[in-house]
Amino acid sequence: MNSNNAQYESMLSFESRDSRNGRRIAFVNDAYSSDDESYSDGSSATSGYSSRASSPHDLNDVDDGGVVFENTKPLIHTLEYILCVKEMCDVTFLAGKMKEPVYGLQAVMGSRSRFFYELFLSKKKARTKRGVFSLFKKRAKGESVPSTQACHAGDNHIFIPVPDYDHEVFRRVVSFIHLGHVAVTTDTVIGLICASTEYQLEDLRKACWEFVARCITAETLPELLKSGSPYRKRPQVKLFLQMISKMR
């Protein structure tokens, strides 16, 4: 097994069945660890603490013989909270036909996804051009324009429509980008495959395909087909249908 396979296979931390509706569920985590990263310092993988220096800044802060302790769990919990509060986020996606809001942080999404970095940059450039055009238009009409403009907290907030994905699918994509983990279910996996392909989230895409391969049964097939219906024109759905035809 090559290293790439080892990485994305480890992302499916476990698979279970939802007792409420019989859905198959997999929990995907993009934090890859191997046996080589085990330590004898008493730290636990589940505690969120580590004695490793996780960045060059950590190394600069520690003298010889020093130890860096990091606690990542509180940060994850903080991000989970921030994503629920519109006022603490600076990008709102309007997902699906109902334009339901999904909140995010541009800095986090832009640093973890090249696709979103370029998307945010293009939105900001377009808004700057509109602002300059509006300024010149006011001057041309002889309207007074203040030399200094007051800065408002919401000036950096952008709104992006996402009509091609339903709210729950896109919310899980945004959650995965921010938190590094997401629950994949039979009623969301096809949408997640399409979204992770479009947004270039390779780890999530591989893990979702693996989940599909594991969970296809006569029992789950109707739900998988139903969940893929909104995306039936996507090439990923065609691949899914080919996978089913080969199984028959």
Side-chain angles (χ1 to χ4, degrees):
M1 181 182 297
N2 60 41
S3 59
N4 290 335
N5 288 336
Q7 178 173 358
Y8 82 76
E9 286 183 4
S10 68
M11 291 170 59
L12 290 178
S13 54
F14 63 88
E15 186 177 331
S16 63
R17 186 179 298 275
D18 189 336
S19 59
R20 294 169 297 179
N21 52 28
R23 293 182 308 169
R24 297 289 291 277
I25 304 174
F27 292 87
V28 180
N29 194 322
D30 71 348
Y32 174 64
S33 61
S34 66
D35 294 339
D36 295 335
E37 293 180 343
S38 58
Y39 291 86
S40 57
D41 59 359
S43 63
S44 170
T46 58
S47 70
Y49 288 94
S50 170
S51 63
R52 292 170 291 173
S54 58
S55 73
H57 299 290
D58 293 335
L59 293 173
N60 293 335
D61 292 339
V62 180
D63 297 330
D64 292 341
V67 176
V68 174
F69 288 96
E70 60 182 13
N71 185 349
T72 58
K73 278 201 169 183
L75 175 60
I76 294 297
H77 295 160
T78 300
L79 282 174
E80 288 177 336
Y81 172 73
I82 289 174
L83 294 179
C84 298
V85 183
K86 175 184 177 181
E87 290 74 16
M88 299 182 72
C89 297
D90 57 6
V91 58
T92 298
F93 299 95
L94 304 174
K97 295 179 180 179
M98 301 300 294
K99 297 183 179 180
E100 298 178 75
V102 178
Y103 307 120
L105 299 170
Q106 295 180 46
V108 175
M109 297 187 72
S111 63
R112 288 176 60 86
S113 168
R114 182 70 182 181
F115 177 94
F116 284 105
Y117 170 78
E118 293 176 351
L119 176 62
F120 298 150
L121 195 60
S122 66
K123 292 290 182 181
K124 289 180 179 180
K125 287 181 178 179
R127 187 170 58 180
T128 300
K129 288 181 180 179
R130 288 196 300 269
V132 172
F133 177 77
S134 176
L135 183 66
F136 279 109
K137 190 174 180 180
K138 288 181 179 180
R139 287 179 175 174
K141 290 181 178 180
E143 299 178 12
S144 60
V145 179
S147 57
T148 58
Q149 298 286 342
C151 293
H152 301 285
D155 281 350
N156 193 45
H157 200 110
I158 60 177
F159 294 82
I160 301 175
V162 188
D164 297 334
Y165 296 100
D166 68 65
H167 176 265
E168 186 57 27
V169 166
F170 194 79
R171 184 193 67 78
R172 295 190 188 206
V173 170
V174 172
S175 177
F176 177 77
I177 294 174
H178 284 83
L179 309 176
H181 62 80
V182 67
V184 180
T185 59
T186 48
D187 58 343
T188 60
V189 65
I190 302 300
L192 288 173
I193 286 173
C194 295
S196 59
T197 301
E198 179 176 351
Y199 302 140
Q200 302 167 19
L201 304 171
E202 188 66 11
D203 288 343
L204 179 59
R205 185 189 69 82
K206 289 180 177 179
C208 286
W209 273 119
E210 183 184 347
F211 174 68
V212 168
R214 289 185 181 185
C215 76
I216 289 183
T217 63
E219 180 184 6
T220 61
L221 186 55
E223 187 171 16
L224 287 168
L225 290 172
K226 182 180 177 181
S227 69
S229 179
Y231 314 104
R232 57 185 176 274
K233 294 183 179 180
R234 302 290 185 96
Q236 294 78 28
V237 176
K238 294 179 180 179
L239 287 175
F240 171 65
L241 294 176
Q242 290 175 5
M243 180 186 298
I244 295 174
S245 64
K246 290 179 181 179
M247 295 176 61
R248 291 177 176 176

